[in-house]
């Protein structure tokens, strides 16, 4: 009978956030797969956990993943932990989960801390709908594509960034989204010097240009409002006359009544306004 893969969340800074269940599972499994064994051994020592440990990280995730899957198929129970937080979020754990699912191995989670959720709920920005983007891609073309997608995102956006790249990333966001977009910069989460800086992107750039940030950062960005999107859509029609606007929809096969209705919606006016304008132009001509 195959074993079980346990995705065990670990503290993102404060060791008191370790759950009783996580400690028990890490003691009971046959093997712990850790992103960085040098970092994780400190955690295990703190909680007096003596389970054997092996490395599983970005650079060995395929080869080591196959070995871990075989161990699981042979009946071993394995716990996967990341450097901090929940495995499988912006780390190689997602690949191991996929491999286990393909092999029919039971995968379960031992919930706990996650920096993205912690930053989101502290941000002061809407939490009902959000998009997680993790770190921006290092490839320039791919990074541009992601930034372009973020520009039109209505949901609150959550990102990660290293302190030495924070200013560069904030400048890219300011250029793409505009300086007035609200943002929260969360640093040192759950630690003694935890800070949440709430401002606009322009203010955030100015703030961190003058003082070097420390600690891993969670960036939470306000989504674009529906009103702003509608206003941007209306601007697209400003250079077109109302007559041409209506003719555009007529050329698509709509009848005159529906064409006026569509044009009115595009411009944020009523169909009656369009009708009156066209009637007045007809009389003038």
């Amino acid at each position: 009978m195959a074993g079980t893969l346990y995705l065990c969340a670990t503290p993102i800074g404060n060791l008191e956030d370790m759950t009783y269940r996580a400690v028990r599972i890490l003691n009971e499994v046959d093997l712990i797969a850790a992103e960085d064994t040098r970092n994780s051994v400190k955690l295990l020592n703190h909680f007096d956990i003596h389970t054997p440990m092996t490395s599983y990280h970005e650079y060995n995730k395929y080869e080591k993943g196959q070995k871990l899957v075989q161990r699981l198929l042979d009946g071993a129970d394995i716990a996967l932990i990341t450097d901090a937080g929940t495995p499988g979020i912006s780390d190689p754990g997602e690949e191991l989960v996929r491999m286990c699912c393909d092999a029919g191995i039971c995968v379960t989670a031992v919930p706990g801390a996650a920096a993205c959720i912690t930053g989101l709920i502290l941000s002061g920005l809407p939490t009902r709908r959000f998009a997680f983007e993790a770190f921006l891609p290092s490839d320039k073309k791919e990074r541009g594509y992601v930034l372009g997608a973020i520009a039109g995102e209505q949901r609150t956006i959550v990102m990660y960034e290293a302190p030495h790249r924070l200013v560069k990333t904030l400048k890219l966001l300011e250029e793409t989204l505009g300086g007035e977009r609200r943002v929260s910069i969360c640093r040192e989460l759950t630690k003694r010097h935890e800070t949440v800086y709430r401002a606009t992107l322009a203010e955030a750039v100015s703030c961190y240009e003058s003082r070097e940030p420390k600690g891993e950062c969670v960036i939470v960005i306000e989504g674009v409002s529906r009103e702003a999107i509608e206003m941007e859509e209306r601007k697209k029609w400003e250079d077109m006359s109302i007559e041409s606007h209506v003719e555009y929809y007529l050329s698509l096969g709509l009848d005159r009544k529906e064409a006026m209705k569509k044009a009115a919606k595009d411009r944020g006016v009523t169909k009656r306004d369009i009708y009156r304008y066209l009637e007045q132009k007809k009389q003038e001509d």
Side-chain angles (χ1 to χ4, degrees), residues 69-112:
V69 166
Q70 189 57 56
R71 286 286 304 271
L72 286 158
L73 289 172
D74 291 340
D77 290 328
I78 298 176
L80 177 67
I81 60 176
T82 183
D83 283 349
T86 301
I89 298 179
S90 190
D91 75 13
E94 65 176 319
E95 181 62 29
L96 182 58
V97 172
R98 184 193 64 77
M99 293 171 73
C100 287
C101 291
D102 290 345
I105 295 167
C106 177
V107 180
T108 190
V110 182

Side-chain angles (χ1 to χ4, degrees), residues 145-280:
Y145 172 80
V146 171
L147 286 169
I150 289 175
E153 179 59 71
Q154 295 185 53
R155 296 169 293 180
T156 300
I157 304 146
V158 184
M159 299 173 58
Y160 288 160
E161 192 49 278
H164 65 279
R165 291 196 301 264
L166 179 62
V167 172
K168 179 181 178 180
T169 295
L170 289 175
K171 285 182 176 180
L172 286 171
L173 291 168
E174 181 186 15
E175 292 170 7
T176 307
L177 311 181
E180 294 305 308
R181 190 77 71 90
R182 290 189 298 163
V183 65
S184 292
I185 314 296
C186 309
R187 299 186 303 108
E188 300 289 319
L189 287 173
T190 76
K191 299 178 184 178
R192 180 177 299 176
H193 300 294
E194 172 182 286
T195 62
V196 181
Y197 178 70
R198 303 176 182 90
T200 64
L201 278 169
E203 291 168 340
V205 169
S206 178
C207 171
Y208 289 109
E209 274 186 324
S210 60
R211 64 179 185 187
E212 183 179 357
K214 296 180 180 179
E216 296 298 311
C217 305
V218 178
I219 307 173
V220 187
I221 312 158
E222 175 185 35
V224 64
S225 68
R226 184 179 300 174
E227 291 77 12
I229 291 176
E230 290 175 352
M231 188 174 296
E232 190 66 30
E233 286 295 319
R234 288 171 193 165
K235 286 181 180 178
K236 295 178 181 178
W237 302 102
E238 286 181 354
D239 293 334
M240 182 182 287
S241 69
I242 292 177
E243 298 95 320
S244 297
H245 199 158
V246 174
E247 285 296 329
Y248 166 74
Y249 282 118
L250 289 172
S251 70
L252 296 179
L254 278 64
D255 61 37
R256 191 165 186 79
K257 183 178 179 181
E258 191 63 26
M260 287 192 292
K261 183 178 179 180
K262 285 275 192 182
K265 183 178 180 181
D266 290 341
R267 291 174 176 268
V269 299
T270 66
K271 188 177 73 172
R272 185 178 292 274
D273 291 331
I274 299 292
Y275 176 77
R276 285 175 176 171
Y277 174 84
L278 293 176
E279 285 298 307
Q280 183 178 346

Side-chain angles (χ1 to χ4, degrees), residues 21-186:
R21 184 182 174 211
V23 172
R24 177 177 64 79
I25 293 296
L26 291 177
N27 267 306
E28 292 179 353
V29 294
D30 301 295
L31 180 68
I32 297 172
E35 187 174 9
D36 186 338
T37 55
R38 294 167 301 178
N39 179 66
S40 295
V41 73
K42 300 172 187 176
L43 176 76
L44 300 188
N45 287 340
H46 181 84
F47 290 101
D48 197 28
I49 297 169
H50 303 286
T51 305
M53 184 167 48
T54 188
S55 65
Y56 176 79
H57 48 71
E58 182 65 29
Y59 303 104
N60 72 354
K61 62 183 179 182
Y62 298 112
E63 180 184 355
K64 179 57 75 70
Q66 292 174 356
K67 294 179 179 179
L68 292 175
V69 166
Q70 189 57 56
R71 286 286 304 271
L72 286 158
L73 289 172
D74 291 340
D77 290 328
I78 298 176
L80 177 67
I81 60 176
T82 183
D83 283 349
T86 301
I89 298 179
S90 190
D91 75 13
E94 65 176 319
E95 181 62 29
L96 182 58
V97 172
R98 184 193 64 77
M99 293 171 73
C100 287
C101 291
D102 290 345
I105 295 167
C106 177
V107 180
T108 190
V110 182
C116 54
I117 298 298
T118 305
L120 174 67
I121 62 177
L122 289 176
S123 68
L125 295 171
T127 60
R128 189 178 72 85
R129 300 173 66 237
F130 64 93
F132 178 59
E133 284 293 343
F135 292 91
L136 283 178
S138 56
D139 179 76
K140 185 176 181 180
K141 184 177 180 180
E142 183 67 17
R143 183 168 64 243
Y145 172 80
V146 171
L147 286 169
I150 289 175
E153 179 59 71
Q154 295 185 53
R155 296 169 293 180
T156 300
I157 304 146
V158 184
M159 299 173 58
Y160 288 160
E161 192 49 278
H164 65 279
R165 291 196 301 264
L166 179 62
V167 172
K168 179 181 178 180
T169 295
L170 289 175
K171 285 182 176 180
L172 286 171
L173 291 168
E174 181 186 15
E175 292 170 7
T176 307
L177 311 181
E180 294 305 308
R181 190 77 71 90
R182 290 189 298 163
V183 65
S184 292
I185 314 296
C186 309

